[in-house]
Amino acid sequence: PQISEVRSGSVAAAHAVQSTKEAYVQRTINRYIARKEHLIVTAESSTFLNIVHAKNPHTTVLFTGDTSTLDRVQVLRKWRKAHTAPHVLLLSMKAGGVGLTLTEARTIVCVDGLTQPNPAHRAQVIKRIHRMGQTRPVTVYDLCVVNTIDDVMRKVVHPFKTVKANIALGVRGTVRRGAQWWCGIGSRL
């Protein structure tokens, strides 16, 4: 089952085939849960976030445009509790772009932030963490699968994007290192 089948409702989110980005996000979620640190995963696609949440219902909370106003307060309250799970907030770019202060986290994974035709959307979400009250360095992970539309959009929309580490996702979710691979993993604000 592919993401389009999940979006149409013909397949349950928990049964979707794991994509390269999802595999990387899952490993990152596991690492932050083990450390008991807050993490934010943001994506333009609510379907992607729904799939990740369906596979991690006890360790993630979901905050999208479909989340009601009353539920938004409860979701954030549940996520902010430092001593209990869930430590991972799955945040859609549209819902998370305005009016939130999320300084409990110091790391954000932008699943498709580099493919945004308007870089301001990505910047707005990052500003939810990197704002007044944040006392720690903020790390932004931009995921980019080489030789895909991600790579093309990165070159067009973010041609001068600099990074501290040259890391990108390979076809099977493996991380490859070297000058020919690119991803904004390790960028600090």
Side-chain angles (χ1 to χ4, degrees), residues 27 38 44-46 50 53 63 124 136 139 142 165 177:
R27 285 193 306 268
H38 285 94
E44 183 70 26
S45 168
S46 297
N50 284 324
H53 182 63
F63 191 105
Q124 273 293 78
R136 302 167 296 171
T139 303
D142 285 314
R177 298 174 189 274

Side-chain angles (χ1 to χ4, degrees), residues 11 16 19 32 37 64 73 83 99 101 105 107 137 178 182 187-189:
V11 172
S19 69
Y32 276 80
E37 289 185 36
T64 67
V73 174
H83 59 282
T101 299
T107 304
W182 185 94
S187 299
R188 294 227 170 188
L189 299 175

Side-chain angles (χ1 to χ4, degrees), residues 49-62:
L49 297 174
N50 284 324
I51 290 169
V52 173
H53 182 63
K55 293 180 179 182
N56 301 280
H58 303 295
T59 56
T60 63
V61 289
L62 188 62

Side-chain angles (χ1 to χ4, degrees), residues 14 19 41-42 79 87 107 120-121 144 152 165 175 178:
S19 69
V41 176
T42 185
W79 176 72
H87 296 288
T107 304
H121 291 165
C144 179
V152 172
V175 176

Side-chain angles (χ1 to χ4, degrees), residues 30-96:
N30 293 341
R31 199 168 58 243
Y32 276 80
I33 289 169
R35 293 187 210 159
K36 297 188 177 182
E37 289 185 36
H38 285 94
L39 171 69
I40 296 175
V41 176
T42 185
E44 183 70 26
S45 168
S46 297
T47 305
F48 178 87
L49 297 174
N50 284 324
I51 290 169
V52 173
H53 182 63
K55 293 180 179 182
N56 301 280
H58 303 295
T59 56
T60 63
V61 289
L62 188 62
F63 191 105
T64 67
D66 295 332
T67 308
S68 71
T69 306
L70 293 174
D71 288 343
R72 288 177 181 217
V73 174
Q74 295 300 325
V75 164
L76 292 176
R77 187 175 292 142
K78 187 176 180 182
W79 176 72
R80 286 185 167 123
K81 289 183 180 180
H83 59 282
T84 61
H87 296 288
V88 181
L89 176 63
L90 303 173
L91 182 66
S92 72
M93 284 202 181
K94 288 182 182 174

